[in-house]
Amino acid sequence: MSNLSDSTTAATLARQTLLHTTFTTPWVDNVTATNMRGEGLDELDMRNTMILDVCENHNMDSCYTKLAWKYLVVTLNFTAILVNTLHLVLLNKLTSVRGTSYLFILKLISIADIYSTLNILSFFCAFNKLFLGEHIYYAALLAAIKNHCGLVRFDTLAVASIERYLSICYPLHGSLCCDRLTRRNHLVQLIAISFWISSLLVSFFTKFLFSNELCMAPMHGPTNIGNTPSISMLVNTGYTSILSLIMLFSHIATLRQLKHIRGRGDRIQGADDRLSTQAVYYILTINIMYYICLVPAVIIMILKPLGLAVDDLAWSIFTLYSCYGSANVVLYGWRNSSYRALARGLLMRNKTSPQMSQRNGRLTTSRPAANSTS
């Protein structure tokens, strides 16, 4: 009798609890009742998978750690924004590249560097909490933008490599079939737009189609930090590999053409001009610099599946990646005397006109024909 009374009391309490839950949160009633009939489990599981949750073995408290690394990376990114903004202002005043496709490339590189700094939003804990517990598609949107921020630098360097290849290997207007349809400057711009749109489509495709792979990494925002390579990661790797092959082909062909021209002693449309040659080596150098910054990322891809700790190495990636945005501007100024003279005149509020500053600092002058192909 005692056992019967206990079981009756337990059943009564269970019914009261169910009624109380139904009264406070009415939507639970349908789910609970359906589950009691053994139905609707798939719908409940789908609802749970469509909500962004913290990654396994992580908690949001860790978001407030590693503050020294965070402050360093955020400071470097803000510095890159200021440096590249000033760089854009100076490029507009630089007469030696005015009206050339090379000027468009220089501006595009700075714009890509500024756009890439959007990645630092994931370092702010309050920003990450806005997406935690929300629909997974909000996280997929943020992850797609972050992914695009990383890919645009590959896009831009690939376009820069192609522009130098066309300028050195096909300097004469009309030597390309597409020259009949559009000007060389417009061709380079169309290539840049197509690459940027392609990387945007890749980002949205991978993050939305495989959104079930996403979780909230407290230190890095919505991402996939699993030990096994994800499909989206493989797609991104394939895309960047194609761009890398394009860069490699362009640089090899360009350097071979420069060597061939020097061997003959020719000066075709200013291809042996200091400005054109300087531009080739500048683009090549910043390509190499960018891949050096990615070396820690490759090491992480190798060590992570082995279960080895890579947290500190991951921060070195963010640091190098943030330094790159300012380093390529410094490199350009170091190799260009007229640019340095213009920068000194602007920073020191010199009354000398920009044209006079460039004339004083220029080592050699460029012919109009050379400018049209640079």
Side-chain angles (χ1 to χ4, degrees), residues 178-198:
C178 52
D179 288 340
R180 306 171 187 173
L181 303 176
T182 181
R183 294 175 55 190
R184 191 66 61 85
N185 288 8
H186 293 163
L187 175 63
V188 174
Q189 293 171 9
L190 289 174
I191 294 174
I193 293 173
S194 62
F195 277 23
W196 277 51
I197 293 178
S198 297

Side-chain angles (χ1 to χ4, degrees), residues 44-60:
L44 182 61
D45 291 340
M46 183 179 294
R47 180 183 300 160
N48 290 335
T49 56
M50 298 301 287
I51 300 300
L52 183 67
D53 198 3
V54 182
C55 297
E56 187 178 359
N57 300 325
H58 288 77
N59 61 78
M60 289 304 295

